[in-house]
Amino acid sequence: MDETRIAVIGLGYVGLPLARLFSTKYKTIGFDINQKRVDSLMNGADDTLEVSSDLLNEAIGKGFLCTTKLDLIKDCNFFIVTVPTPVDKNNRPDLTPLVKASETVGKVIKKGDIVVYESTVYPGATEEDCIPVVEKVSGLKYNVDFFAGYSPERINPGDKEHTVEKIKKVTSGSTPEIGEKVDDVYRSVITAGTHLAPTIKVAEAAKVIENSQRDINIAFVNELAKIFNLMKIDTHAVLEAARTKWNFLPFNPGLVGGHCIGVDPFYLAQKAQEYGYHPEIILAGRRLNDSMGKYVASEVVKLMIKNGTPVKGTKVLMLGITFKENCPDIRNTKAIDIYHELCEYGISVDVYDPWAEPAEVMREYGIETITQYPEIKSYCLAEGGYGAVILAVAHQEFLQLDLLEHKNAGAIIYDVKGILNIETVNGRL
């Protein structure tokens, strides 16, 4: 194991923390096709904020290297693929990044080497979609010349408590012996321990159901929120009471976006349909969760009308555009659904998010965010204030704001996350 030389392909939210961790024990090289990203990392700056500058610089000082040059990873013998697995506009799995990464591996893999995939996929994708690409490009034969493993990522972006080494890791290999080797490598750096699954397909399935289960549970409480709002019952008070039972599952209503929970169920659904099974519950959960942005916007408009606030032409302030709190990741954010739906009503929406990079928001969604929180001191709605303020993302900075000044100036306050003082808000999920 001392001769293990690791190459991590894809240096995003998953790959960089993993590569940095492995570099504490093994010669490790991080490979990415984005030169700007690589340059930034080699200067000690991670714009995903997953690895601190201190840890990154310490790793670089001890030999950790990030590169876009393929030749530099040819000497490695343990390749780990950590690229995104998105869906297309029709919610069908898009394996393009995975296929391209497999082509990259195929160009450098040698006899006796191992390639491990961490990207979330449907059961079978590693051996049916990825390995044939590696075989074709390399000219090597699977499980004869080279071997494979699957160890699903469990990174939680923005979470500084459950970091990669503190989350138990599922591992697997293409043969029992390779499974043990893969498990040994991961177990040497993962302090929380590992679980060796019997096959690659079992490990793939375990990962995809983790997020599908969470998606379905959130869909359930989102539906409860819609029902209880009609009944004028505080959903969060109901959940607080229900949580007093020891086995009640603690989920809250909200927007379900990001690159995992809002995407992974479609991978499982796609594979199920290939086997002639139409997954009812999984897709129903997805439909309900995908409807929540439109629902929030309609609730805000109803409250504005009840408040006597004009809708068309009125300004609304939306706090947050990232997919979750205290994280700069805007991929597949569902806050954007609130924005678009409000625009359909003729409302002018200002978006403020201190965590999101304005240039990235513009590039991804065509929205120009405001860069400073617009405090209200002496003017009311009639003098250009906001008709509503929506807390869409629970960034720590937003918890310090005094939204009462907006409310006192005539604005509706709507709390998507259900974390503000009940006296402050006019409505919440």
Side-chain angles (χ1 to χ4, degrees):
M1 202 161 55
D2 291 339
E3 297 180 358
T4 300
R5 300 178 299 279
I6 296 174
V8 177
I9 298 170
L11 296 175
Y13 284 85
V14 174
L16 180 65
L18 186 70
R20 199 284 313 171
L21 178 63
F22 272 125
S23 75
T24 62
K25 192 172 183 66
Y26 305 98
K27 177 183 178 182
T28 304
I29 300 176
F31 177 86
D32 201 285
I33 60 173
N34 186 335
Q35 187 65 56
K36 183 179 178 182
R37 169 73 170 159
V38 166
D39 291 343
S40 179
L41 292 176
M42 290 306 292
N43 285 321
D46 171 26
D47 59 15
T48 69
L49 306 182
E50 290 301 305
V51 177
S52 69
S53 293
D54 288 345
L55 281 177
L56 191 51
N57 283 322
E58 180 184 350
I60 293 170
K62 293 180 178 179
F64 175 53
L65 173 68
C66 299
T67 184
T68 59
K69 296 178 180 178
L70 204 57
D71 285 348
L72 295 182
I73 64 172
K74 284 185 176 179
D75 189 47
C76 295
N77 54 21
F78 196 93
F79 300 92
I80 303 175
V81 176
T82 59
V83 296
T85 44
V87 292
D88 63 18
K89 63 180 180 180
N90 297 311
N91 290 322
R92 292 176 301 199
D94 179 5
L95 297 181
T96 302
L98 210 50
V99 169
K100 290 186 178 299
S102 298
E103 291 173 349
T104 297
V105 172
K107 294 174 183 177
V108 294
I109 201 166
K110 306 171 297 299
K111 285 190 176 183
D113 290 355
I114 299 173
V115 54
V116 178
Y117 289 85
E118 290 217 1
S119 307
T120 303
V121 291
Y122 45 73
T126 298
E127 294 171 290
E128 296 166 12
D129 297 294
C130 300
I131 294 304
V133 175
V134 178
E135 284 186 310
K136 181 179 179 181
V137 174
S138 68
L140 301 177
K141 189 170 178 59
Y142 177 49
N143 274 345
V144 175
D145 299 318
F146 75 95
F147 304 90
Y150 183 80
S151 181
E153 62 90 1
R154 282 175 165 171
I155 291 289
N156 186 25
D159 189 339
K160 303 310 177 188
E161 179 181 353
H162 301 98
T163 49
V164 59
E165 69 274 15
K166 297 177 183 177
I167 303 172
K168 193 162 188 174
K169 205 85 164 67
V170 173
T171 61
S172 64
S174 54
T175 70
E177 295 75 20
I178 293 301
E180 293 288 350
K181 286 185 179 181
V182 171
D183 193 68
D184 285 345
V185 171
Y186 277 96
R187 192 171 61 247
S188 69
V189 295
I190 303 294
T191 56
T194 60
H195 173 88
L196 177 57
T199 67
I200 286 175
K201 283 186 178 180
V202 167
E204 291 169 326
K207 169 58 180 177
V208 80
I209 70 165
E210 289 175 18
N211 288 333
S212 297
Q213 181 188 68
R214 186 166 176 79
D215 192 41
I216 291 166
N217 278 305
I218 297 173
F220 173 61
V221 294
N222 274 338
E223 188 162 66
L224 292 180
K226 289 183 175 183
I227 294 169
F228 292 144
N229 284 343
L230 290 172
M231 301 171 70
K232 309 298 183 190
I233 298 174
D234 185 345
T235 304
H236 291 272
V238 173
L239 293 174
E240 184 180 356
R243 286 191 190 106
T244 59
K245 189 166 188 274
W246 77 92
N247 60 352
F248 184 81
L249 302 178
F251 289 91
N252 291 312
L255 305 174
V256 185
H259 54 95
C260 289
I261 301 178
V263 171
D264 296 351
F266 289 121
Y267 275 75
L268 183 56
Q270 169 80 13
K271 200 62 177 178
Q273 289 168 336
E274 289 179 14
Y275 280 81
Y277 182 83
H278 181 75
E280 302 285 351
I281 294 176
I282 293 171
L283 292 179
R286 277 284 75 235
R287 284 193 299 271
L288 197 143
N289 284 338
D290 278 347
S291 74
M292 294 308 292
K294 181 176 287 190
Y295 174 77
V296 167
S298 68
E299 289 295 291
V300 171
V301 168
K302 288 176 186 176
L303 288 169
M304 290 171 65
I305 292 171
K306 288 179 181 178
N307 194 47
T309 304
V311 175
K312 186 176 181 180
T314 294
K315 293 199 302 179
V316 166
L317 174 63
M318 189 169 82
L319 299 174
I321 190 67
T322 61
F323 92 90
K324 65 177 292 187
E325 65 274 6
N326 306 325
C327 171
D329 195 350
I330 63 170
R331 290 176 296 172
N332 193 36
T333 175
K334 292 304 174 182
I336 194 66
D337 293 348
I338 301 174
Y339 176 91
H340 287 314
E341 189 66 16
L342 290 173
C343 290
E344 288 292 314
Y345 285 98
I347 292 171
S348 175
V349 185
D350 283 347
V351 176
Y352 171 64
D353 193 322
W355 284 81
E357 174 59 45
E360 188 178 354
V361 177
M362 173 59 74
R363 183 168 57 251
E364 186 74 18
Y365 300 111
I367 296 173
E368 184 175 353
T369 59
I370 59 175
T371 56
Q372 288 189 325
Y373 173 65
E375 296 186 33
I376 294 178
K377 295 300 181 185
S378 61
Y379 62 88
C380 63
L381 176 62
E383 297 170 340
Y386 291 105
V389 177
I390 304 172
L391 178 72
V393 186
H395 292 317
Q396 56 193 12
E397 290 86 347
F398 296 159
L399 304 183
Q400 311 303 318
L401 298 177
D402 180 13
L403 297 181
L404 275 176
E405 64 177 5
H406 287 284
K407 187 175 184 180
N408 293 337
I412 293 295
I413 308 297
Y414 193 90
D415 181 10
V416 173
K417 301 297 292 184
I419 59 172
L420 298 176
N421 189 305
I422 191 67
E423 285 77 28
T424 302
V425 303
N426 301 91
R428 63 180 183 176
L429 276 181

